Amino acid sequence: MLDYVGLEADLDSEERMVRDTAREFVEKEFKPIVGEHYIDGTFPTELIPKLGELGFYAPNLDGYGLPGLSETAYGLLMQELEAGDSGLRSMASVQGALVMYPIYAYGSDEQKEQWLPEMGTGETIGCFGLTEPEHGSNPSAMETYATKAGNEYVLNGSKTWITNSPIADVAVVWARDRSAENTPVRGFLVETDRDGVSTNKIDEKLSLRASITGEIGLQNVHIPKENMLPGVSGMKGPLSCLTQARFGIAWGAVGAARDCFETAREYATDREQFGGPIARFQLQQEKLAEMATQITTAQLLAYRLSELKERGEMTPQHVSMAKRNNVRMARDQSRIAREMLGGNGITADYSPMRHMANLETVYTYEGTHDIHTLVLGQDLTGIAAFE
Amino acid sequence: MMKVLVTVKEVAEVEEDFVLDGTRIDDRFLEYDLNEWDDYAIETAVQLAEAGDDVEVVSATIGPERCEETIRMALAKGVDRGIRVWDDTLASVDLLDVNAKTEIFNAIIAEEEPDLILTGVQAHDDSFGATGVSVADAAGYEWAAVVNALDLDADAGVAHVRRELEGGVEELTDVELPAVLTIQTGINEPRYASLRGIRMAQRKEIAQQTLDDLGLDEGAVESQITLTDMYEPESESDVELFEGDADAAAASLASVLREKGVGAQ
């Protein structure tokens, strides 16, 4: 895999081993089957416990049987998973950063004991309910609400574009607490087998096909009041989870782009036209040179972001910049890679077009590209364009 | 308490296109990885440890610091501790032959006194396949080579093994412990190291030993074998690919067979 300025040479032995294990797993267990799953619009669910056995869910958290790896090791894992498919990385992102993280950071001891060990092994699958049919980029306008009734909360509302909701055992649902002053956004752990919960699957996607997506419908769903996450109130709750997940996306996008690059490079050196490999043409060399440069600069940003995160100096705006830049980079470069493969590039036999289609989703999920632009604009000028 | 020693080797994997530099392949074209057969030996040992009450698995290798990663991957998969033998004398040896490895491992065996030693059948890079049996002979252990199934009865001190022989023949043998078994690929499905295992492996011991520590001198690693030449053999291929569907391909094959005089009546 392209590592033009040798960043991986400076990894410590533990980080290199994480990279190697993840890479080998993706090469041997995932890449051979992803094309078919993509075409069928399915996720290889048999891999879910296997990913857990390997410790791929929230490995940067500590305790509860979780390994507590460095942020760089976590980033490398996301990078290797997304070199397989954005759907694979999304599986790990959602389970780890969007479900286990809020339980870990804001949950009660009982919630942590109950959920984290079995989510770490993949026995229990979680999903994250924030986006609503009418509220995407502006989640604070959410309509889903909870009202307290004795020892219970009653939830009503609907969430959509929820990765893994159709197969999830539990959902972290973000809802306005109408029983509290100023109706703050609170997080609730909702078991999906409760009465009034529906998790319809969204079919016929043209992107991220090897990933399960659905809705969460909540109709008078009664949950014990202990299911509320006690440690956070307000939009900080969901947004801090998204910061964790977007950190992984900034790394993951580099992985997808590297897979496209290596596929294109190999193709260009093997494919012969006009009596020799097409890699000898300046037009193709320019594409590879540009792709390698873009990947390398995105990689640098990801590494720096990890350092900042490790020392507790990473801001959400840093993550916005990295997610924005790296996903755009991967989206653009996957298209160039596809182009270099000519007609072969439009088949599922090669990864670039699959990555390219996936990255359309990644470009607008977890904060659209444009919203991240405005986050940066606000940070740089002090003026919020979206308020 | 039972102790299992697994000898492992880091092997060089050559890239598809490479350049020969005298009797060496230039380092630029090499990547290093755990010998494939040894991965199966590690899995065998770790499974014994998981099945048994009190089993210690120790892994030993000969090689420079770079090999620590390979041995640490074994630790991440469940091996308890590692031993790595290296010093300047070993670094200066061009070709470490079977006798040299036998001397070194024999010294480790004398110190560790394992009940069972597992090695890979052969090394992927130099394709030596004698170290396991040679070590058994030197240490006075029983042995079985090319083992593709193992049922260990630790209480009785017997390993019931199946060996893969030439021509698809298999042999069932009972080997008394202590013994050396050389493990064939396919005996099990080697696991991936989990991230939890990788984390724990950072805290496991890899003891570095020199020839001196093992009571050996440079005489032990003098080789009776010298590498005289390396070359890429001329390859010749004569292939005819039949295009088209089954009918067309069958017709083409039939005409070729007829031309060659097969079924000419």
Side-chain angles (χ1 to χ4, degrees), chain A residues 166-203:
Chain A
I167 57 165
D169 303 293
V170 63
V172 174
V173 171
W174 300 96
R176 293 268 174 201
D177 179 4
R178 288 193 182 171
S179 308
E181 205 180 323
N182 298 326
T183 64
V185 170
R186 302 296 304 245
F188 299 89
L189 295 170
V190 182
E191 296 89 343
T192 53
D193 58 1
R194 288 191 182 272
D195 288 342
V197 178
S198 60
T199 54
N200 296 329
K201 186 163 171 275
I202 299 174
D203 286 312

Side-chain angles (χ1 to χ4, degrees), chain B residues 7-234:
Chain B
T7 62
V8 300
K9 185 185 182 198
E10 187 183 73
V11 294
E13 307 256 0
V14 185
E15 280 180 27
E16 219 169 289
D17 295 309
F18 60 92
V19 178
L20 283 175
D21 175 16
T23 57
R24 296 184 52 83
I25 296 167
D26 195 295
D27 271 349
R28 280 179 296 151
F29 305 102
L30 299 179
E31 273 190 30
Y32 296 92
D33 205 353
L34 175 67
N35 182 38
E36 188 187 350
W37 281 266
D38 299 346
D39 205 12
Y40 290 86
I42 290 167
E43 182 63 34
T44 305
V46 172
Q47 285 185 9
L48 290 175
E50 284 170 346
D53 282 339
D54 191 10
V55 180
E56 187 187 25
V57 181
V58 182
S59 196
T61 195
I62 305 166
E65 202 179 342
R66 189 190 59 227
C67 304
E68 293 236 336
E69 213 137 295
T70 297
I71 208 161
R72 214 169 279 286
M73 206 52 120
L75 298 179
K77 291 179 179 185
V79 170
D80 295 301
R81 61 186 167 86
I83 298 166
R84 181 173 67 87
V85 182
W86 199 244
D87 61 15
D88 291 345
T89 309
L90 283 164
S92 68
V93 175
D94 264 348
L95 181 77
L96 207 58
D97 68 10
V98 170
N99 284 332
K101 289 175 194 169
T102 301
E103 293 261 15
I104 292 169
F105 286 131
N106 198 23
I108 292 174
I109 291 162
E111 201 169 307
E112 295 283 342
E113 297 179 340
D115 304 283
L116 186 63
I117 300 167
L118 303 176
T119 75
V121 164
Q122 66 186 77
H124 181 62
D125 53 359
D126 56 25
S127 292
F128 283 156
T131 306
V133 172
S134 171
V135 163
D137 185 46
Y141 278 34
E142 295 296 316
W143 74 78
V146 202
V147 170
N148 64 9
L150 166 66
D151 174 16
L152 185 76
D153 186 344
D155 294 333
V158 178
H160 308 286
V161 305
R162 191 174 71 207
R163 298 180 52 226
E164 190 180 303
L165 306 184
E166 298 281 322
V169 177
E170 301 204 316
E171 176 191 279
L172 299 175
T173 310
D174 289 346
V175 186
E176 272 185 45
L177 301 189
V180 178
L181 308 179
T182 79
I183 301 295
Q184 175 66 313
T185 56
I187 187 173
N188 50 40
E189 198 179 323
R191 70 193 63 196
Y192 294 92
S194 75
L195 303 198
R196 297 174 197 91
I198 289 173
R199 190 86 252 252
M200 288 197 300
Q202 307 305 314
R203 293 191 281 267
K204 290 181 180 174
E205 180 202 5
I206 301 177
Q208 203 202 323
Q209 304 217 322
T210 62
L211 290 178
D212 199 35
D213 294 335
L214 293 171
L216 300 172
D217 58 33
E218 43 190 278
V221 295
E222 259 169 36
S223 179
Q224 291 157 326
I225 301 173
T226 44
L227 186 60
T228 53
D229 196 12
M230 280 266 265
Y231 63 93
E232 285 184 82
E234 294 277 328

Side-chain angles (χ1 to χ4, degrees), chain B residues 254-265:
Chain B
S255 64
V256 169
L257 291 176
R258 228 173 281 122
E259 275 168 36
K260 304 272 181 201
V262 179
Q265 275 70 289

